[in-house]
CSV table of all heavy atoms in Angstrom, one decimal:
chain,number,residue,atom,x,y,z
A,47,ALA,N,7.9,-5.6,41.4
A,47,ALA,CA,7.3,-4.3,41.4
A,47,ALA,C,6.5,-4.0,42.7
A,47,ALA,O,6.3,-2.9,43.1
A,47,ALA,CB,6.4,-4.1,40.2
A,48,ALA,N,6.0,-5.1,43.3
A,48,ALA,CA,5.2,-4.9,44.6
A,48,ALA,C,5.6,-6.1,45.5
A,48,ALA,O,6.1,-7.1,45.1
A,48,ALA,CB,3.8,-5.0,44.2
A,49,LEU,N,5.3,-5.9,46.8
A,49,LEU,CA,5.6,-6.9,47.8
A,49,LEU,C,4.3,-7.2,48.5
A,49,LEU,O,3.5,-6.3,48.8
A,49,LEU,CB,6.6,-6.3,48.8
A,49,LEU,CG,7.9,-5.9,48.3
A,49,LEU,CD1,8.7,-5.2,49.5
A,49,LEU,CD2,8.7,-7.1,47.8
A,50,ASP,N,4.1,-8.5,48.9
A,50,ASP,CA,3.0,-8.9,49.7
A,50,ASP,C,3.3,-8.7,51.1
A,50,ASP,O,4.4,-8.3,51.5
A,50,ASP,CB,2.5,-10.3,49.3
A,50,ASP,CG,3.5,-11.4,49.8
A,50,ASP,OD1,4.4,-11.1,50.5
A,50,ASP,OD2,3.3,-12.6,49.3
A,51,VAL,N,2.3,-8.9,52.0
A,51,VAL,CA,2.5,-8.7,53.4
A,51,VAL,C,3.6,-9.5,54.1
A,51,VAL,O,4.2,-9.1,55.1
A,51,VAL,CB,1.2,-8.8,54.2
A,51,VAL,CG1,0.2,-7.8,53.8
A,51,VAL,CG2,0.6,-10.2,54.1
A,52,ALA,N,4.0,-10.6,53.4
A,52,ALA,CA,5.1,-11.4,53.9
A,52,ALA,C,6.4,-11.0,53.4
A,52,ALA,O,7.5,-11.6,53.7
A,52,ALA,CB,4.8,-12.9,53.6
A,53,GLY,N,6.4,-10.0,52.5
A,53,GLY,CA,7.7,-9.5,51.9
A,53,GLY,C,8.1,-10.2,50.6
A,53,GLY,O,9.2,-10.0,50.1
A,54,ASN,N,7.2,-11.0,50.1
A,54,ASN,CA,7.5,-11.7,48.8
A,54,ASN,C,7.3,-10.8,47.6
A,54,ASN,O,6.3,-10.1,47.6
A,54,ASN,CB,6.6,-12.9,48.6
A,54,ASN,CG,6.7,-14.0,49.7
A,54,ASN,OD1,7.9,-14.4,50.0
A,54,ASN,ND2,5.7,-14.4,50.3
A,55,PRO,N,8.3,-10.7,46.7
A,55,PRO,CA,8.2,-9.8,45.6
A,55,PRO,C,7.2,-10.5,44.6
A,55,PRO,O,7.1,-11.7,44.4
A,55,PRO,CB,9.6,-9.7,45.0
A,55,PRO,CG,10.3,-11.0,45.5
A,55,PRO,CD,9.6,-11.4,46.8
A,56,SER,N,6.5,-9.6,43.8
A,56,SER,CA,5.6,-10.0,42.8
A,56,SER,C,6.4,-10.6,41.6
A,56,SER,O,7.5,-10.3,41.4
A,56,SER,CB,4.7,-8.9,42.3
A,56,SER,OG,5.6,-7.8,41.7
A,57,THR,N,5.7,-11.5,40.9
A,57,THR,CA,6.3,-12.0,39.7
A,57,THR,C,6.0,-11.0,38.5
A,57,THR,O,5.3,-10.1,38.7
A,57,THR,CB,5.6,-13.4,39.3
A,57,THR,OG1,4.2,-13.2,39.1
A,57,THR,CG2,5.8,-14.4,40.4
A,58,ALA,N,6.7,-11.3,37.4
A,58,ALA,CA,6.5,-10.4,36.2
A,58,ALA,C,5.2,-10.7,35.6
A,58,ALA,O,4.7,-11.9,35.6
A,58,ALA,CB,7.6,-10.7,35.2
A,59,SER,N,4.5,-9.7,35.1
A,59,SER,CA,3.2,-9.9,34.4
A,59,SER,C,3.5,-10.4,33.0
A,59,SER,O,4.5,-10.3,32.4
A,59,SER,CB,2.5,-8.5,34.4
A,59,SER,OG,3.1,-7.7,33.4
A,60,ALA,N,2.4,-10.9,32.4
A,60,ALA,CA,2.4,-11.2,31.0
A,60,ALA,C,2.3,-9.8,30.3
A,60,ALA,O,1.9,-8.8,30.9
A,60,ALA,CB,1.2,-12.1,30.6
A,61,VAL,N,2.6,-9.8,29.1
A,61,VAL,CA,2.5,-8.5,28.3
A,61,VAL,C,1.1,-8.3,27.9
A,61,VAL,O,0.5,-9.2,27.3
A,61,VAL,CB,3.5,-8.5,27.1
A,61,VAL,CG1,3.2,-7.3,26.2
A,61,VAL,CG2,4.9,-8.7,27.5
A,62,PHE,N,0.5,-7.1,28.3
A,62,PHE,CA,-0.8,-6.7,27.9
A,62,PHE,C,-0.7,-6.0,26.6
A,62,PHE,O,0.2,-5.1,26.4
A,62,PHE,CB,-1.4,-5.8,29.0
A,62,PHE,CG,-2.7,-5.2,28.6
A,62,PHE,CD1,-3.9,-5.8,28.7
A,62,PHE,CD2,-2.7,-3.9,28.0
A,62,PHE,CE1,-5.1,-5.3,28.3
A,62,PHE,CE2,-3.9,-3.3,27.6
A,62,PHE,CZ,-5.1,-4.0,27.8
A,63,SER,N,-1.5,-6.3,25.6
A,63,SER,CA,-1.4,-5.6,24.3
A,63,SER,C,-2.8,-5.3,23.8
A,63,SER,O,-3.8,-6.0,24.0
A,63,SER,CB,-0.6,-6.3,23.3
A,63,SER,OG,-1.3,-7.5,22.9
A,64,ARG,N,-2.9,-4.2,23.1
A,64,ARG,CA,-4.1,-3.7,22.3
A,64,ARG,C,-3.6,-3.0,21.1
A,64,ARG,O,-2.5,-2.4,21.1
A,64,ARG,CB,-5.0,-2.8,23.1
A,64,ARG,CG,-5.7,-3.4,24.3
A,64,ARG,CD,-6.8,-4.3,23.8
A,64,ARG,NE,-7.6,-4.9,24.8
A,64,ARG,CZ,-7.3,-6.0,25.5
A,64,ARG,NH1,-6.3,-6.8,25.1
A,64,ARG,NH2,-8.1,-6.5,26.4
A,65,THR,N,-4.4,-3.0,20.0
A,65,THR,CA,-4.1,-2.3,18.8
A,65,THR,C,-5.0,-1.0,18.9
A,65,THR,O,-6.2,-1.1,19.0
A,65,THR,CB,-4.4,-3.1,17.6
A,65,THR,OG1,-3.6,-4.2,17.6
A,65,THR,CG2,-4.1,-2.3,16.3
A,66,PHE,N,-4.3,0.1,18.8
A,66,PHE,CA,-5.1,1.4,18.8
A,66,PHE,C,-5.3,1.8,17.4
A,66,PHE,O,-4.4,1.9,16.6
A,66,PHE,CB,-4.3,2.5,19.6
A,66,PHE,CG,-5.0,3.8,19.7
A,66,PHE,CD1,-6.2,3.9,20.3
A,66,PHE,CD2,-4.4,4.9,19.0
A,66,PHE,CE1,-6.8,5.2,20.4
A,66,PHE,CE2,-5.1,6.1,19.1
A,66,PHE,CZ,-6.3,6.3,19.8
A,67,ASP,N,-6.6,2.1,17.1
A,67,ASP,CA,-7.0,2.5,15.8
A,67,ASP,C,-7.9,3.7,15.9
A,67,ASP,O,-9.0,3.6,16.3
A,67,ASP,CB,-7.7,1.4,15.0
A,67,ASP,CG,-8.2,1.8,13.6
A,67,ASP,OD1,-8.0,2.9,13.2
A,67,ASP,OD2,-8.8,0.9,13.0
A,68,SER,N,-7.4,4.9,15.6
A,68,SER,CA,-8.3,6.1,15.7
A,68,SER,C,-8.7,6.7,14.4
A,68,SER,O,-9.3,7.7,14.3
A,68,SER,CB,-7.5,7.2,16.5
A,68,SER,OG,-6.3,7.6,15.8
A,69,VAL,N,-8.3,6.0,13.3
A,69,VAL,CA,-8.5,6.6,11.9
A,69,VAL,C,-9.7,5.8,11.3
A,69,VAL,O,-9.6,4.6,11.2
A,69,VAL,CB,-7.3,6.5,11.1
A,69,VAL,CG1,-7.5,7.0,9.7
A,69,VAL,CG2,-6.1,7.3,11.7
A,70,GLY,N,-10.7,6.5,10.8
A,70,GLY,CA,-11.8,5.9,10.2
A,70,GLY,C,-11.5,5.4,8.8
A,70,GLY,O,-10.5,6.0,8.1
A,71,PRO,N,-12.2,4.5,8.2
A,71,PRO,CA,-12.0,4.0,6.9
A,71,PRO,C,-12.4,5.0,5.8
A,71,PRO,O,-13.2,5.9,6.1
A,71,PRO,CB,-12.9,2.8,6.8
A,71,PRO,CG,-13.9,2.9,7.9
A,71,PRO,CD,-13.3,3.8,8.9
A,72,THR,N,-11.8,4.9,4.7
A,72,THR,CA,-12.1,5.7,3.5
A,72,THR,C,-12.9,4.9,2.5
A,72,THR,O,-12.7,3.6,2.5
A,72,THR,CB,-10.9,6.4,2.8
A,72,THR,OG1,-10.0,5.3,2.4
A,72,THR,CG2,-10.1,7.3,3.8
A,73,VAL,N,-13.6,5.5,1.6
A,73,VAL,CA,-14.3,4.8,0.6
A,73,VAL,C,-14.2,5.5,-0.7
A,73,VAL,O,-14.3,6.7,-0.8
A,73,VAL,CB,-15.8,4.5,1.0
A,73,VAL,CG1,-16.6,5.8,1.2
A,73,VAL,CG2,-16.5,3.7,-0.1
A,74,ALA,N,-14.0,4.7,-1.8
A,74,ALA,CA,-14.0,5.3,-3.2
A,74,ALA,C,-15.0,4.6,-4.1
A,74,ALA,O,-15.2,3.4,-3.9
A,74,ALA,CB,-12.6,5.1,-3.7
A,75,LEU,N,-15.6,5.3,-4.9
A,75,LEU,CA,-16.6,4.8,-5.9
A,75,LEU,C,-16.0,4.8,-7.3
A,75,LEU,O,-15.4,5.8,-7.7
A,75,LEU,CB,-17.9,5.6,-5.9
A,75,LEU,CG,-18.6,5.7,-4.5
A,75,LEU,CD1,-19.9,6.6,-4.7
A,75,LEU,CD2,-19.0,4.3,-4.0
A,76,ALA,N,-16.2,3.7,-8.0
A,76,ALA,CA,-15.6,3.6,-9.4
A,76,ALA,C,-16.6,2.7,-10.2
A,76,ALA,O,-17.4,2.0,-9.7
A,76,ALA,CB,-14.2,3.0,-9.3
A,77,SER,N,-16.4,2.8,-11.5
A,77,SER,CA,-17.2,2.0,-12.4
A,77,SER,C,-16.4,1.7,-13.7
A,77,SER,O,-15.6,2.5,-14.1
A,77,SER,CB,-18.5,2.7,-12.8
A,77,SER,OG,-19.2,2.0,-13.7
A,78,VAL,N,-16.7,0.6,-14.3
A,78,VAL,CA,-16.1,0.2,-15.6
A,78,VAL,C,-16.9,0.9,-16.7
A,78,VAL,O,-16.5,0.9,-17.9
A,78,VAL,CB,-16.1,-1.3,-15.8
A,78,VAL,CG1,-15.2,-2.0,-14.8
A,78,VAL,CG2,-17.5,-1.9,-15.7
A,79,SER,N,-18.0,1.5,-16.4
A,79,SER,CA,-18.9,2.2,-17.4
A,79,SER,C,-18.2,3.4,-17.8
A,79,SER,O,-17.7,4.2,-17.0
A,79,SER,CB,-20.2,2.5,-16.8
A,79,SER,OG,-21.1,3.1,-17.7
Side-chain angles (χ1 to χ4, degrees):
L49 301 173
D50 67 13
V51 292
N54 298 309
S56 62
T57 61
S59 73
V61 175
F62 171 86
S63 67
R64 289 291 182 268
T65 299
F66 181 64
D67 177 2
S68 65
V69 179
T72 61
V73 60
L75 301 179
S77 179
V78 295
S79 179

